[in-house]
Amino acid sequence: MFEWTMGIRILTSLLILVSASVIAVVVVRILVSGPVPPADFKNLKRSDRPNDFLICPEDLCPSHPDEISPVFAVPSSRLEQEWKRVLSDLPRTRQLDRTEDADYSYVQRSQLFGFPDSFSVRFASLGEGRSSLILYS
């Protein structure tokens, strides 16, 4: 009898633990999955989060980038088309918004729990058929 009630207690404890974990994941997904506006690239202020990351062409952003983005030998409209083509193949990624300045915001969710990673992009025309992009996450 003692072994049977001990087994029931262990099983009940495991069930409560798993249920609490599932509820926590659902609550986090609901709280963190609100709309994410595109970054304001003209007045960009970096956050103090450790996962803040900026890619930008040299001398084009008011904040210091983590990486210098490459310059492409295509107009910005072509770079934008290619970007959309590549992103359409990425799993769990969707466009959230587009501003009048053609800034886009996206969210990509992690595979296991669906945690969101938001990022914004702007395509920069550099003249003479060259372009680059600004990416902030």
Side-chain angles (χ1 to χ4, degrees):
M1 177 82 166
F2 177 74
E3 290 178 19
W4 182 77
T5 55
M6 182 60 90
I8 293 292
R9 286 182 186 167
I10 291 173
L11 187 59
T12 302
S13 297
L14 286 173
L15 185 58
I16 290 170
L17 182 63
V18 168
S19 298
S21 298
V22 168
I23 290 169
V25 167
V26 169
V27 167
V28 167
R29 282 199 65 179
I30 290 170
L31 292 176
V32 183
S33 63
V36 179
D40 179 5
F41 289 110
K42 292 177 184 171
N43 303 304
L44 186 64
K45 301 260 192 285
R46 304 285 302 267
S47 79
D48 56 357
R49 297 174 305 169
N51 60 346
D52 171 287
F53 199 81
L54 176 65
I55 300 173
C56 187
E58 203 162 11
D59 301 325
L60 199 58
C61 290
S63 297
H64 181 73
D66 297 292
E67 298 277 336
I68 301 297
S69 57
V71 174
F72 300 94
V74 296
S76 60
S77 59
R78 175 64 191 264
L79 182 60
E80 183 176 349
Q81 288 173 351
E82 289 301 312
W83 170 268
K84 288 179 181 178
R85 184 185 63 75
V86 169
L87 254 65
S88 70
D89 293 335
L90 290 179
R92 302 172 311 280
T93 304
R94 68 183 175 102
Q95 180 181 324
L96 298 177
D97 199 5
R98 180 172 190 241
T99 67
E100 293 176 10
D101 295 329
D103 298 338
Y104 296 89
S105 65
Y106 296 88
V107 66
Q108 183 176 45
R109 296 199 171 267
S110 64
Q111 185 171 1
L112 184 58
F113 290 114
F115 294 124
D117 181 20
S118 60
F119 58 98
S120 295
V121 66
R122 171 179 277 184
F123 302 94
S125 178
L126 302 177
E128 301 174 4
R130 299 175 316 126
S131 62
S132 190
L133 57 84
I134 305 167
L135 182 67
Y136 181 63
S137 174

